Amino acid sequence: MKTQTDWIVFAVSIVLALIISGILFAMRRQVDKPQAPTPVNVADPAYPTGDVVYTNGLPGANSSGSGGAGSPGMQANAPAGGGGAAGGRSRPSLGVSGG
């Protein structure tokens, strides 16, 4: 009886191996041929025609205005000493008004 069981196990393992091999063969990756690269344009570029205009300002800005208020910096009527605290040092601001 042992020999018959061995033959059954052997036959089932061969059938399973054939089934698994068929599945793996059918599911393999298909290699696609890559697309040909587009040719590179190596011709000389076409430069736009036009004249260079030198100006003393930004485009769209008028020359009559002063330009805006920027950073105040050191002004003529500002005190030169730094702040109101003793010793010429100002106290750090904590964002609290008063006191």
Side-chain angles (χ1 to χ4, degrees):
M1 197 68 170
K2 183 168 177 8
T3 310
Q4 185 179 7
T5 306
D6 289 342
W7 278 108
I8 292 172
V9 170
F10 180 69
V12 168
S13 63
I14 288 179
V15 170
L16 282 176
L18 289 174
I19 291 172
I20 291 172
S21 298
I23 290 172
L24 291 176
F25 182 75
M27 300 282 293
R28 73 179 189 275
R29 263 191 281 180
Q30 300 295 328
V31 179
D32 294 334
K33 182 180 177 185
Q35 215 176 17
T38 57
V40 177
N41 184 8
V42 292
D44 290 333
Y47 296 110
T49 59
D51 295 331
V52 178
V53 179
Y54 295 99
T55 60
N56 193 13
L58 296 173
N62 60 8
S63 61
S64 64
S66 63
S71 176
M74 190 67 159
Q75 297 174 352
N77 58 358
R89 299 172 69 190
S90 59
R91 292 178 26 187
S93 172
L94 299 176
V96 180
S97 63

